Each structure stands twice: as C-alpha cells, then as structure tokens.
Amino acid sequence: MSDPFGRVQRTAPAVTPPADVVIGPPETGLGTAPGAGPTVTRRRALSVLAGAGVAGIGVTACDRSQHQQVSSGLTSPGLKSASLTGAGLKAARLKAPGIWRFQTPGPVVEGLVAVGGFVYTADNNDNGGSHSHNVYALDATTGVAVWMAANYAESYTGPAVGNDRVYVGSDFHTVTALNARTGHMAWQYVTGDVVTGAPAVHGNSVYIGCGINDNHIYALDAISGRPRWKYETGSSAFGRPAATSRAVYAGGDDGNVYALDAATGRLLWSFPAGGPVVGQLAAVHGVVFAGCGSSICAIDARSGNQLWRFGTGGAVQAGLAVARGVVYAASNDGSLYAIKASTGARIWSYPTGGGANSGVAVANGIVYFGSDDANIYAVDIMTGTVKWHYRTGGQVRSGVSVSGRAVFAGSSDGNVYAVRA
C-alpha cells in the first residue's frame, strides 16, 4: 500500500501489535553520547511477538564505532545486531551559494527542522542492514553529525522539535522522543499500526496520525509519552496536525479535516475537504488552512465552515506556510502559490520544472521551497520572482527550514543541503 507520495507503507510481517504500549528507557537513557562508551542498547517494542517487527531506536555517537544489541527482557528472534560506524559522517563543503551537504544512506524525503544550531532530519533507505534508517542531528554551521539514531524501520515521519526533544514516527508502529542534544531516547510509544502523520508539538502535547489498520489521531504527553486520548478517523491520517491551546486540526486520506478538543479529543467538527488531506495544516488567527486535494481551503476554526477555496492544477501534498496575511502553498502542478489569507485571491504564482511537493518556509522576505526538478528555490514574497535556485542531485520533497543565514533541505539523492539564504 502506498501513500500519496508513492512511498510504500509497511505493516508488521506476522502480527499486528496491540496499541497503547509505552516503553520507557532505562534510567541511564538509551544510546551513547559523544565521548561515551561503545555499547548502544536497542529496545525492541513488543518483541515477545515473534516477527512483529517493532523496533526501538539506538543512538550512535558520530565519532566512534558502535554496536547495537537487544535489551534484556525484550528478546526478539527477528532482530539482528548491527554495527554502525562513524565513517562518512562529515559534511562536504560546497561552492557558494552552497555551504555544505551531508550524505545519508538513503533519500531524504521526510521532515527537516533547523533549530537551536542543529538540523534534525531522517533518511529513507529500504535496503535493510545496519544503516536501514537513521535520524540525524547535524551541526547547522558545519554539517557534521552530532549524533545519529537508528533502527530497522524503513520509513520515518517528522521530525518535530519541542521541549528539548525530537519526535519521530515510523512504519514500525512507534512514536519516539529523543533528547535533542544527545539522541538518547526519552520514551517510545507503540501504536496499532504504521504512523503515517508527522508529529506536531504544542506545549506539553504531541499529536500524531496513524493509518492502515489503526486510523487514529493520538494525543501523547510530550514529556512522558503517556497517551491522553485518541480519535478514530475514517482512514489513514497522513497530514501533520496543527494545534492550538483549544483544538487540534488534522486531516486524512478519507478527505476530511477534523477539529478535536485539545484536552479531551472530542470531535468539534469535521470538514469535507473534497480530496485527501496529506500535508501540513496551519491554524492562524481563527482560520485553519489545509491542502484539500487539488485545492487550498480556508476553514473557520470555530464553526468548521468554509471561508474560501482556491483551486490549483495539482494536489497539495506537502506543506503550506502562512505569513503576514499570505498563504504560500506548493502544488504538484509545479507551482508555488501566494494567496491572500483573508479572501483566497491569488497574488502571484511561480512555476518550476517539476512537481512542487516539498515543505515551505518563509523568512528574510523570501519564501523557500523545493521541486521535483531537483532545485531549491528562493522566491521574493512581494513580486513572486525568483531570487536564486540551487540544484541538487534529485527531487527535493523534504521539509525546508531556515535558520540564521542558511536554508536547509533534503534531496532524494541522499543529501541534506545547506545553502546561503
């Protein structure tokens, strides 16, 4: 089964693990910080179920060789030990306007967040083995890996960053919180199936969506990982939710946007979007903005009534951003759109040479996004004219993030790029 991006969503090979399992790390944390000893423990969720395929995450300090093993009491005949080395974990310098690129074992097509001097991202590598899939913390200035967390999942969501933690979901039915500075696991929560929606953090809560045989939106305590509530939708919940202190707004493959009470998970309203809602949602000044199939929708956050709808020439599959009264959204028709948030009127659009299926970021009077034509684009927010574009070696479908004087994006060529903003 594939999601709207064509990524294969995998269930466990033998049995479906029960939901609502929280696994806490040992007191010393999970993994090895830079400069610590060489042994890393891998926690395997529900490993008493032979072949269930749910794995914990181990972290590798990026300057020494590590060895992964199964924690006592969590034996799993399906888990092989893996040796992870620090080879190749330094960034290559680039000619201006590029700054550096960091090579990963697989395409970088999921979320990417730059905050606090770090760039957090993950690769998708379906080849299995010791480098099956990794979550990275990269130094934003140099591109050198500070830590690397790995397990045998083949697809990650996220990441989302908050509370000094990095939150990621996976196709191994797990949501994991890692210490943002060390990579040590704070907690891991096991859902009923593949985690399809990227996490959203608001205050002390983490919200995620699941799919295939689960189809719930979850609220977890961001500090402990304990479940607060879950709400069943009609299908997979692909989109990254948007959250306020009052409500959580999430979309799904069933073509609905849901508004749920942030404290209880009670349904406030549902909105028929007219197509799958699979990308980033935004809630700004009492309005919810979402990619609704091949449209961008503005929905009243209180009533759930449509305020306006703007049609594009292709599906809005990834992100949108709202800044200074303007909605910026990328479409699979290859264009980035700037739309007046109050009326839905088009201000301008900028076409690229391929589908525009990346995240969108706004800073410095510029909107940044990626395209399937392998370029990272910087477009002037006032005129819609391109300021520059930087060519990578593959499709740019990751999140896009700006920090300081650099913009960061991932490519299907396996690299994370830092380019002068």
Side-chain angles (χ1 to χ4, degrees), residues 7-328:
R7 298 177 300 227
V8 176
Q9 299 293 325
R10 298 172 175 82
T11 56
V15 295
T16 301
D20 306 331
V21 178
V22 178
I23 299 175
E27 292 183 0
T28 56
L30 175 66
T32 304
T39 300
V40 178
T41 300
R42 177 188 298 278
R43 296 185 62 90
R44 183 78 172 206
L46 305 181
S47 54
V48 294
L49 301 175
V54 182
I57 294 183
V59 62
T60 302
C62 294
D63 59 350
R64 60 178 66 217
S65 178
Q66 304 290 337
H67 187 75
Q68 308 239 339
Q69 61 187 25
V70 182
S71 299
S72 59
L74 289 173
T75 59
S76 172
L79 177 62
K80 298 178 181 179
S81 61
S83 178
L84 300 179
T85 69
L89 294 184
K90 292 185 178 180
R93 306 300 296 178
L94 299 174
K95 294 182 180 180
I99 302 173
W100 52 257
R101 63 176 174 83
F102 178 86
Q103 179 71 55
T104 76
V108 182
V109 296
E110 294 292 348
L112 182 149
V113 178
V115 62
F118 294 90
V119 179
Y120 301 99
T121 190
D123 66 82
N124 283 299
N125 180 18
D126 294 338
N127 296 327
S130 61
H131 291 284
S132 175
H133 197 91
N134 305 310
V135 180
Y136 299 93
L138 309 178
D139 185 286
T141 302
T142 65
V144 173
V146 179
W147 54 257
M148 178 178 72
N151 78 357
Y152 280 68
E154 293 178 340
S155 178
Y156 272 146
T157 68
V161 181
N163 306 297
D164 198 32
R165 293 178 180 176
V166 181
Y167 304 92
V168 291
S170 84
D171 65 340
F172 272 31
H173 314 180
T174 59
V175 182
T176 306
L178 305 171
N179 184 288
R181 299 198 174 273
T182 67
H184 291 173
M185 188 177 79
W187 52 260
Q188 186 172 81
Y189 178 84
V190 181
T191 68
D193 211 321
V194 173
V195 179
T196 49
V201 183
H202 185 80
N204 289 333
S205 294
V206 178
Y207 304 99
I208 56 99
C210 288
I212 304 182
N213 294 314
D214 187 323
N215 301 336
H216 283 85
I217 298 163
Y218 289 82
L220 307 177
D221 186 283
I223 307 303
S224 68
R226 298 289 174 183
R228 290 181 170 168
W229 51 257
K230 63 180 180 178
Y231 178 85
E232 186 172 8
T233 67
S235 186
S236 298
F238 278 115
R240 183 194 292 266
T244 67
S245 57
R246 171 183 174 268
V248 181
Y249 307 96
D253 199 37
D254 62 356
N256 287 297
V257 176
Y258 296 91
L260 308 173
D261 185 276
T264 66
R266 178 178 61 89
L267 179 67
L268 302 176
W269 49 259
S270 63
F271 172 80
V277 181
V278 297
Q280 170 81 53
L281 283 75
V284 181
H285 301 312
V287 180
V288 179
F289 301 95
C292 302
S294 296
S295 299
I296 300 153
C297 298
I299 309 161
D300 184 274
R302 287 279 180 179
S303 66
N305 294 328
Q306 178 175 295
L307 300 175
W308 53 258
R309 180 184 292 260
F310 178 91
T312 68
V316 181
Q317 297 188 137
L320 53 80
V322 183
R324 298 184 179 182
V326 179
V327 181
Y328 301 93

